[in-house]
């Protein structure tokens, strides 16, 4: 894992890159308002050549291997990050978050099984982009709960929306497309959105502004993750 100084550098760079972003005059009070306020950032996060190549079956095996291994590492970090959220979550969100933890644990086993099928080495190094995203997610524990929850919803919604662009896909990657566009996954994301809306409604203006900023960071990291899978960097 990167040092705390490295993470500070990441935050400074992200803050600078977001300085030119057009933020809402009134911080969004719902998840839908976040999406509507930043369509370009969301499009970039959910529409990518990687997914186009999954759809038409032309994705190189090396790119697929990179994605699977790095997403496996990220899922492990996500499990830890969501576990830490339980320290701050209101009682009303406990079942939802615990259900998400069970799903993430199952997903890790699923990745391991597919790594065996496709002969993918899960001990390969964590790439810098994945490590930065991991560090970002673990550092969320120091942010208000509404920010943590917004990020958890945003990254799952980005994944669902992104993989949906690969539908119907080719038989080669059908299992992966089906998993990340399933009705069960959508139901979980919809439930997260209800909780996000409640948290944003109860948040201060400062917290809503921070949630909006971190939403944009999630969009940026999601795009970078797809870039990493294709470039190997």
């Amino acid at each position: 894992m990167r040092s705390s100084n490295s993470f500070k550098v990441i935050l400074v760079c992200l803050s600078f890159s977001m300085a030119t972003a057009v933020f809402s005059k009134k911080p969004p009070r719902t998840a839908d308002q976040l999406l509507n306020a930043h369509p370009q950032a969301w499009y970039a996060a959910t529409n990518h050549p990687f997914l186009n190549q999954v759809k038409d079956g032309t994705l190189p095996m090396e790119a697929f291997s990179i994605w699977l291994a790095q997403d496996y590492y990220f899922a492990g970090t996500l499990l830890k990050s969501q576990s830490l959220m339980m320290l701050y979550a209101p009682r009303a969100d406990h079942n939802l978050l615990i259900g998400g933890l069970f799903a993430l644990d199952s997903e890790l086993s699923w990745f391991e099984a597919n790594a065996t099928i496709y002969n993918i080495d899960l001990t390969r190094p964590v790439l810098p982009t994945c490590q930065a995203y991991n560090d970002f997610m673990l550092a969320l524990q120091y942010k208000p709960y509404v920010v943590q929850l917004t990020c958890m919803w945003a990254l799952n919604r980005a994944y669902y929306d992104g993989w949906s662009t690969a539908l119907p896909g080719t038989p080669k990657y059908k299992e992966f497309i089906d998993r990340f566009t399933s009705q069960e996954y959508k139901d979980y994301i919809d439930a997260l959105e209800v909780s996000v809306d409640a948290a944003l409604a109860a948040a201060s203006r400062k917290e809503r502004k921070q949630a909006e900023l971190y939403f944009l960071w999630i969009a940026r990291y999601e795009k970078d993750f797809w870039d990493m899978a294709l470039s190997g960097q």
Side-chain angles (χ1 to χ4, degrees), residues 151-163:
C151 287
M152 201 61 64
W153 161 76
L155 68 88
N156 280 287
R157 175 64 185 265
Y159 223 52
Y160 178 84
D161 287 0
W163 280 96

Side-chain angles (χ1 to χ4, degrees), residues 32-85:
D32 269 346
Q33 287 178 5
L34 281 170
L35 294 173
N36 293 334
H38 303 287
Q40 291 182 332
W42 197 249
Y43 183 88
T46 58
N47 291 263
H48 196 275
F50 179 96
L51 295 163
N52 294 339
Q53 292 172 31
V54 167
K55 182 176 183 176
D56 63 21
T58 61
L59 183 72
M61 188 61 198
E62 177 58 20
F64 174 77
S65 298
I66 292 170
W67 165 77
L68 190 147
Q70 299 303 309
D71 212 34
Y72 173 72
Y73 299 146
F74 181 71
T77 297
L78 197 56
L79 181 67
K80 298 173 184 176
S81 179
Q82 189 154 324
S83 296
L84 291 168
M85 283 179 64

